[in-house]
Amino acid sequence: MKLHNLILTAGLVIISQFSLQAQEPRVALVLSGGGAKGFAHIGVLKVLEEEGLPISIIVGNSIGSIIGGVAATGYSAKEIELMAKSQNWDELLFDYVSRKYKSDNLKTAEQRYFLELPLNKDTEELELPSGVVSGQNVLNLFCKFMANVPDSVDFRKLPISFACIGTNLETGQEEVLMHGFLPKAVLASMAIPGMFSPVNFNGLYLVDGGIVNNYPSDVAQMMGADIIIGVDLQTKPLAKEQLNSADKIFGQIASFTDLEKGKCNRAIVDLNIKPNMEGYNMSSFTQEAVDTLIIRGEKAARQKITEIRELISKHNLEYQAVDRKYVEPKKYRIEQISLDNKLKIKEPYILDLSNLEVNKLYSASELQNSMYKLYGEGNFAMVYPSLIEKKDKYQLNIHTKLKQSSMLKIGFGANSADGVNLNLNYSFQDFRKLINLFTIDFKASYNPRVIITAETHNYKLPGIGLKIDAQHTEQGLFKLGKEKGKYKIFNANADIYTYKRFKNSSSILQLGLRYDFDSSNFSTENGTIIKEQSDRTQTSRFSAYSSFHFDSFDKYFLPKKGISFHAEFSINEVINSTLKSIPIVYANFEIVAPINNTLAFTGEIYHRAVYRNDYPGGLANYASDKYSAFNNYSLMYAGQYGLSFTDKIATCSKIGLRLKIANKHFLTPQVSILTDMDNWGEMNNADTKWLIGLNYSRMTILGPIDLSFNMPTNDEHLVFQGGIGFKF
């Protein structure tokens, strides 16, 4: 009997313990939207973790869905802080992709154009894009950090139960997102209208949830929360004197959209934490803002530390370790790759561009880089991965959204050679077509130019292209520092070529045949100016050439590091002339080597040699600044007025030290040397001129500013050259 009572008592104790556990209140954390202000959420999370507060539910909106979604998968507040501080937010939010992943076409376009407008494929009429960016980068970042999460999951069954809010663009209704592909749900919740394109998620067309419910404590209550802690990023309305930028105006409008619901939702929270947002707004995505706002979030939470501890004590809340099964880094053995069949994409095409192979191990970062390679080709508006586990092996699903095939690009600028220039581009790009790239580039300026390019590329074979390039140039012609007159030249060439880009590198090998025609008002022979004449001198020639190009610069303007090397060897045959088989070698090398965070070494070398004693003026070497060149083999000499012909072997070198000032401004003291001679045996007696100069550069939203002041040693005049905006 005593044994029976003992067993019964023990059973009641066990049952009561389970009952107590089942009755332990569920704590929900509500993270409101607010753009960059949401970095304060991380600081709040750090304090809650330190206090051992068990969080059972997270509901987030916009930036709150990002922080909350990552936390719900099992990441600690410290890990999330490191993630936030390690990102380049400008590049992340504006879909910047490293140049090493970009096609040559995109590399060229970013130097000439700043605005891209789609053309309707049916009407060929211009359209405004649905957003400034598609969200390619942020989505792939989420895919990287959430790679272990199943591609279709109930968010309530994550290590911390989770939900986020989206706005249905078709109905205007609030959508609570609790199931599906987690990275895309988070993107939908933060898709600020106008900035991000709307997101298709589970058949819904969604934008930022802050429009309908920016402080979703009611959703936390619906999910069974007994205690609700909210982090409120709402600020007081700005006065008219403060509404002086588009982001502030948009933020103000957004804050008005859910005023009534916001008041109701604030009334049902048990503890409201309100960080100080003074001096920051939704677009404050700077490193300084990230650091400061995290600290302010911590400070706001510590000001509520008494209330936090009272909640823990009153409800006997005990911290439980969060499951980290979705967080631990791993490699994925890919046994199968699945594509969007509705786009009729051939698997070998994707494998060739992305360098992916089946039955190989890949990390989440490596898969992310493969997506960047596909995106960098310019065919897709969005490319992202998801994984399906199959007994320690994985099926990789590559999701794509095609970019509009026809585009109009616009750029403009002004420089010391062209005056004002307007750059226009029409491009058609579709990898499924036989001619998968067709572009027309036009520069309207004092020295107009047009380039027409058509290329076809089969993944199994090298690409084939045709390019026609025509330009009229009128520049001052100088010899020994004195102007000889205005050099007027029209030159055109037609180029048929084949090319091969090497995998896992930025190297391209090209072979081609070229026809050149030029017509000028000066008679020249072997680089020597004979006279100006009323009748134009015309020259036609064929050439066969091979070239090699390597480019590892991280940016086209003001790169932080990298090298660029281009070399070309050609054999030229002049038509209707006894001048045959004229070999020419051209090469240029550029380097930027960082010394520390503010100082970098810069260097450039241009070399060209004509290996015949007699050759027409159209093949002569010439020096110019970078704005005055009329073909692709100029010797870039910063202190050159207009154009100046040189001897048949010529080399121009420039070295400098680039100093970063106040983060955006760059000053570069530099020295340039130009050497030319008729043959290698004259090296000791070669003509040499050199200069010292100072260059100022910075990047703006409307393009580069690049200004140089140079003092040639053989000329008492200071030479100014420069440009503002995009250069053709």
Side-chain angles (χ1 to χ4, degrees):
M1 187 68 179
K2 290 182 178 180
L3 179 61
H4 178 269
N5 289 338
L6 184 63
I7 293 173
L8 180 60
T9 302
L12 290 172
V13 169
I14 292 171
I15 292 172
S16 67
Q17 289 296 316
F18 276 111
S19 177
L20 285 171
Q21 288 181 15
Q23 293 173 8
E24 182 174 291
R26 301 185 74 198
V27 180
L29 180 63
V30 176
L31 303 178
S32 68
K37 296 183 292 185
F39 292 120
H41 292 321
I42 301 172
V44 174
L45 275 173
K46 289 176 68 176
V47 174
L48 297 182
E49 281 188 9
E50 289 172 8
E51 293 300 313
L53 180 74
I55 298 173
S56 302
I57 300 168
I58 298 178
V59 182
N61 177 67
S62 197
I63 185 74
S65 70
I66 299 175
I67 308 299
V70 174
T73 60
Y75 286 96
S76 69
K78 187 63 178 177
E79 288 171 322
I80 299 173
E81 180 181 23
L82 291 174
M83 291 177 192
K85 290 183 175 181
S86 64
Q87 304 304 318
N88 183 322
W89 286 95
D90 281 343
E91 295 182 355
L92 184 69
L93 293 173
F94 285 93
D95 283 350
Y96 171 83
V97 175
S98 173
R99 292 183 81 245
K100 66 182 178 181
Y101 300 131
K102 291 183 178 179
S103 66
D104 288 334
N105 179 51
L106 289 189
K107 287 180 181 179
T108 300
E110 70 178 355
Q111 299 177 46
R112 297 175 177 171
Y113 312 105
F114 77 96
L115 179 62
E116 184 177 73
L117 297 172
L119 290 166
N120 186 287
K121 64 180 180 180
D122 298 320
T123 65
E124 289 298 311
E125 294 179 352
L126 282 175
E127 295 179 337
L128 290 176
S130 59
V132 176
V133 294
S134 66
Q136 162 73 19
N137 280 5
V138 290
L139 178 57
N140 274 276
L141 185 70
F142 301 155
C143 291
K144 173 184 173 182
F145 290 138
M146 302 173 182
N148 294 340
V149 180
D151 73 329
S152 182
V153 66
D154 185 339
F155 303 162
R156 294 166 294 184
K157 295 181 180 179
L158 292 172
I160 299 176
S161 185
F162 176 71
C164 58
I165 314 301
T167 300
N168 190 318
L169 197 57
E170 294 181 292
T171 66
Q173 299 299 309
E174 173 185 350
E175 302 286 352
V176 180
L177 312 181
M178 292 192 290
H179 185 278
F181 186 49
L182 180 59
K184 203 165 186 184
V186 173
L187 176 65
S189 180
M190 61 157 284
I192 299 172
M195 174 64 185
F196 290 91
S197 296
V199 178
N200 279 303
F201 179 77
N202 291 352
L204 303 172
Y205 201 47
L206 303 175
V207 294
D208 193 301
I211 297 172
V212 290
N213 193 356
N214 198 44
Y215 195 69
S217 57
D218 57 334
V219 176
Q221 193 176 60
M222 178 195 72
M223 294 174 69
D226 300 297
I227 301 169
I228 301 175
I229 298 174
V231 185
D232 186 3
L233 305 179
Q234 183 72 43
T235 55
K236 293 180 180 180
L238 299 175
K240 62 182 179 181
E241 295 80 10
Q242 298 171 293
L243 295 170
N244 51 15
S245 63
D247 57 332
K248 291 180 180 178
I249 293 171
F250 182 85
Q252 184 100 320
I253 294 171
S255 70
F256 295 150
T257 55
D258 73 333
L259 281 178
E260 290 303 316
K261 187 162 190 173
K263 289 179 182 178
C264 294
N265 283 348
R266 287 177 182 84
I268 64 175
V269 300
D270 297 277
L271 179 62
N272 187 54
I273 300 174
K274 195 171 180 63
N276 175 18
M277 296 288 110
E278 185 178 355
Y280 298 96
N281 56 52
M282 62 185 298
S283 64
S284 300
F285 285 95
T286 65
Q287 191 60 56
E288 182 271 336
V290 175
D291 296 339
T292 302
L293 289 168
I294 291 174
I295 292 171
R296 289 190 182 183
E298 287 187 59
K299 183 177 180 180
R302 295 194 192 283
Q303 289 172 346
K304 299 282 187 176
I305 204 73
T306 301
E307 291 96 322
I308 293 170
R309 290 172 178 173
E310 285 177 354
L311 282 174
I312 294 172
S313 175
K314 178 181 177 180
H315 298 282
N316 296 316
L317 300 176
E318 295 184 4
Y319 178 77
Q320 296 179 358
V322 178
D323 190 346
R324 291 178 59 83
K325 65 181 179 180
Y326 294 141
V327 171
E328 299 301 331
K330 63 166 68 174
K331 291 231 174 184
Y332 310 92
R333 183 172 295 280
I334 306 301
E335 70 165 1
Q336 182 182 350
I337 297 176
S338 176
L339 308 173
D340 289 338
N341 292 328
K342 62 180 179 293
L343 298 179
K344 299 180 181 179
I345 302 173
K346 296 181 180 179
E347 181 177 307
Y349 171 83
I350 295 293
L351 297 181
D352 180 63
L353 288 180
S354 64
N355 296 333
L356 290 170
E357 299 178 29
V358 294
N359 297 317
K360 283 193 67 174
L361 288 169
Y362 293 95
S363 67
S365 294
E366 289 170 331
L367 292 176
Q368 181 187 39
N369 291 339
S370 293
M371 299 305 106
Y372 287 153
K373 291 174 185 177
L374 292 171
Y375 182 73
E377 283 296 308
N379 289 297
F380 302 108
M382 184 176 283
V383 188
Y384 63 95
S386 66
L387 293 163
I388 299 177
E389 187 172 6
K390 296 181 176 180
K391 296 181 180 180
D392 297 327
K393 294 183 179 181
Y394 292 84
Q395 174 182 315
L396 171 63
N397 297 321
I398 299 178
H399 308 271
T400 59
K401 178 183 177 182
L402 274 182
K403 194 173 184 178
Q404 190 77 286
S405 56
S406 296
M407 308 291 291
L408 177 69
K409 301 181 180 74
I410 303 171
F412 62 84
N415 61 66
S416 50
D418 289 326
V420 176
N421 61 281
L422 173 65
N423 304 334
L424 299 173
N425 166 275
Y426 167 79
S427 64
F428 173 86
Q429 184 171 1
D430 190 335
F431 65 93
R432 300 169 300 178
K433 306 295 184 181
L434 177 62
I435 304 298
N436 43 52
L437 176 65
F438 177 78
T439 66
I440 301 175
D441 297 271
F442 176 67
K443 178 180 72 171
S445 75
Y446 182 71
N447 297 303
R449 185 179 184 185
V450 62
I451 303 173
I452 301 173
T453 305
E455 289 186 352
T456 181
H457 181 222
N458 185 301
Y459 62 89
K460 294 180 180 179
L461 302 171
I464 298 174
L466 172 67
K467 179 182 288 187
I468 299 172
D469 186 349
Q471 178 173 357
H472 170 81
T473 303
E474 185 172 333
Q475 298 288 348
L477 184 60
F478 291 79
K479 187 173 180 64
L480 300 176
K482 296 181 179 180
E483 185 170 3
K484 295 293 183 179
K486 285 289 184 181
Y487 187 62
K488 301 176 183 178
I489 181 171
F490 171 79
N491 62 294
N493 63 71
D495 189 357
I496 184 168
Y497 55 89
T498 180
Y499 64 95
K500 178 65 177 178
R501 179 187 293 180
F502 295 96
K503 286 187 176 182
N504 298 314
S505 77
S506 300
S507 304
I508 296 177
L509 179 65
Q510 185 168 311
L511 305 174
L513 298 173
R514 182 186 297 130
Y515 170 78
D516 286 275
F517 170 83
D518 55 68
S519 172
S520 70
N521 65 325
F522 266 84
S523 174
T524 59
E525 183 177 336
N526 300 344
T528 301
I529 301 170
I530 306 300
K531 62 179 180 178
E532 185 173 7
Q533 55 191 27
S534 56
D535 295 332
R536 286 180 169 255
T537 301
Q538 298 181 350
T539 306
S540 300
R541 57 190 179 276
F542 283 107
S543 62
Y545 69 91
S546 63
S547 68
F548 174 80
H549 183 69
F550 174 82
D551 181 359
S552 67
F553 281 138
D554 56 346
K555 297 179 180 178
Y556 84 91
F557 184 70
L558 294 173
K560 296 180 181 178
K561 61 180 180 179
I563 62 173
S564 174
F565 175 72
H566 178 82
E568 179 178 308
F569 173 75
S570 63
I571 298 291
N572 298 266
E573 302 284 341
V574 181
I575 300 174
N576 297 325
S577 172
T578 58
L579 302 176
K580 302 293 183 182
S581 301
I582 304 173
I584 298 176
V585 172
Y586 173 78
N588 75 277
F589 175 80
E590 300 176 57
I591 183 171
V592 175
I595 298 173
N596 54 40
N597 290 334
T598 59
L599 194 64
F601 169 81
T602 65
E604 300 176 17
I605 299 175
Y606 297 87
H607 173 79
R608 190 169 186 268
V610 182
Y611 288 93
R612 277 285 294 262
N613 289 327
D614 50 344
Y615 53 90
L619 292 176
N621 295 334
Y622 74 97
S624 74
D625 69 84
K626 60 184 174 184
Y627 299 107
S628 302
F630 61 85
N631 56 31
N632 297 325
Y633 55 80
S634 168
L635 301 163
M636 300 297 183
Y637 186 59
Q640 176 65 52
Y641 285 111
L643 310 173
S644 179
F645 285 100
T646 71
D647 291 336
K648 67 177 187 176
I649 301 173
T651 303
C652 181
S653 305
K654 181 170 69 175
I655 58 173
L657 284 175
R658 192 179 70 195
L659 177 66
K660 181 166 67 172
I661 303 171
N663 197 39
K664 296 181 178 180
H665 305 271
F666 296 82
L667 283 178
T668 308
Q670 55 196 19
V671 177
S672 297
I673 302 174
L674 177 62
T675 302
D676 63 318
M677 54 193 165
D678 274 329
N679 60 71
W680 292 105
E682 297 178 356
M683 291 184 65
N684 292 333
N685 298 314
D687 294 328
T688 301
K689 58 180 180 179
W690 63 283
L691 61 84
I692 57 174
L694 182 66
N695 175 266
Y696 167 78
S697 306
R698 71 163 295 183
M699 190 65 176
T700 71
I701 192 171
L702 296 179
I705 297 175
D706 190 34
L707 309 175
S708 291
F709 301 88
N710 303 284
M711 178 63 75
T713 56
N714 61 345
D715 195 320
E716 60 184 17
H717 298 291
L718 183 69
V719 179
F720 166 77
Q721 292 145 345
I724 299 174
F726 289 83
K727 172 181 174 292
F728 196 86

